[in-house]
Amino acid sequence: MQPILDIRGFSKSYDGKVMAVDNLSLTIEPGDIYGFIGKNGAGKTTTLRAAAGILRFDTGDMLVDGTSIKADPLACKRKIAYIPDNPDLYEFLTGRQYLDFVADLFEIAGDERGQRIEHYARALDLSDRLHDLISSYSHGMKQKLAMIGGFIHRPVLFLMDEPFVGLDPEAVVRVRQIIRDFCAQGSAVFFSTHVLEVAEKLCNKVAVIKDGRLVAAGATDQVRGQASLEEYFLEAMRDA
């Protein structure tokens, strides 16, 4: 089975001295909902941004569905949805204009475009606000719009940085179901989170990172052992 995301010896330093991420290797396979766990500054966002083709590498490589992001970033980006923790959207556009812009980038035709936008906007309770300016949106609404923008081209890989921050409880439940549906069809999700309870319930696999280095990775039940994920994490942060 070809991995959806294959991270091979990835390292990144911002100052040439301290490694933000040090020799990280991970494999995310079709159907995986893979949680990426660590304290602030551990290297989670750096890894996700590199996988999305936003950050340059010091060493290593990442393959998206078999294609190197370094060798062919455009081909990889067509298969990726990257949703940051604080979406930076075009606030002078309406929600619908933004989604049409995203759909244009991914060459989604009119009828199919409209159906997808309406489906996900209805699921996330944003239909009534799509014709309002994004500048009038709350943080949670912007997060929902960014999610819909990620969903409409039906990528094979979702890269999400703290995706549930700012979402109301109903939206969290809906987003969790949507990504489960995508993964049931062969896509994969790789997301960072501080909410260990969510990771434990949602993720079939988790990776734990501390100070840029991988502490543990694998099936969630195997990583946490007999403890809860929260108990395991706190112990790992003390011992690693």
Side-chain angles (χ1 to χ4, degrees):
M1 181 185 299
Q2 179 169 275
I4 295 292
L5 178 63
D6 191 4
I7 303 174
R8 301 177 175 178
F10 166 63
S11 295
K12 174 67 180 177
S13 170
Y14 292 100
D15 61 4
K17 299 175 183 177
V18 178
M19 301 301 292
V21 181
D22 189 2
N23 195 32
L24 176 68
S25 294
L26 274 178
T27 301
I28 291 87
E29 298 177 331
D32 278 346
I33 303 178
Y34 213 124
F36 200 28
I37 302 167
K39 296 193 291 187
N40 290 337
K44 303 185 303 296
T45 296
T46 295
T47 302
L48 291 170
R49 285 170 60 85
I54 298 171
L55 285 181
R56 293 174 180 254
F57 293 48
D58 289 347
T59 59
D61 201 357
M62 298 189 188
L63 278 65
V64 177
D65 202 22
T67 301
S68 167
I69 192 107
K70 294 171 75 172
D72 196 347
L74 185 58
C76 291
K77 288 177 182 181
R78 288 189 174 277
K79 298 182 177 184
I80 291 172
Y82 172 61
I83 302 173
D85 61 340
N86 188 23
D88 188 12
L89 307 176
Y90 300 112
E91 299 205 346
F92 57 88
L93 298 177
T94 67
R96 178 59 194 247
Q97 287 171 334
Y98 170 77
L99 294 175
D100 279 331
F101 168 69
V102 173
D104 284 341
L105 289 176
F106 289 98
E107 301 177 342
I108 302 170
D111 289 345
E112 184 69 19
R113 168 188 308 195
Q115 292 171 10
R116 294 183 189 183
I117 289 174
E118 180 55 31
H119 172 74
Y120 293 118
R122 188 168 57 249
L124 296 184
D125 195 26
L126 203 61
S127 297
D128 293 343
R129 297 297 302 273
L130 285 184
H131 296 290
D132 295 343
L133 289 174
I134 296 173
S135 59
S136 72
Y137 285 15
S138 67
H139 173 78
M141 292 170 63
K142 290 177 182 177
Q143 192 75 354
K144 290 179 182 180
L145 187 67
M147 291 276 186
I148 297 168
F151 295 151
I152 58 174
H153 69 285
R154 296 183 175 170
V156 299
L157 175 63
F158 292 88
L159 301 167
M160 297 176 161
D161 199 355
E162 296 289 346
F164 304 115
V165 172
L167 294 182
D168 57 79
E170 183 178 2
V172 170
V173 172
R174 298 281 180 86
V175 169
R176 286 163 61 174
Q177 187 56 55
I178 289 169
I179 64 176
R180 282 192 181 106
D181 291 343
F182 272 110
C183 290
Q185 298 169 21
S187 295
V189 175
F190 186 41
F191 76 97
S192 70
T193 182
H194 288 107
V195 186
L196 300 182
E197 183 180 2
V198 170
E200 188 164 20
K201 291 180 178 179
L202 182 61
C203 299
N204 65 310
K205 295 178 183 175
V206 293
V208 180
I209 189 172
K210 180 182 181 183
D211 297 330
R213 297 188 66 87
L214 191 65
V215 174
T220 304
D221 289 345
Q222 293 178 353
V223 169
R224 67 180 177 85
Q226 299 301 312
S228 69
L229 188 58
E230 182 179 74
E231 290 168 337
Y232 167 78
F233 177 77
L234 292 174
E235 189 68 24
M237 291 302 99
R238 283 195 294 267
D239 296 343

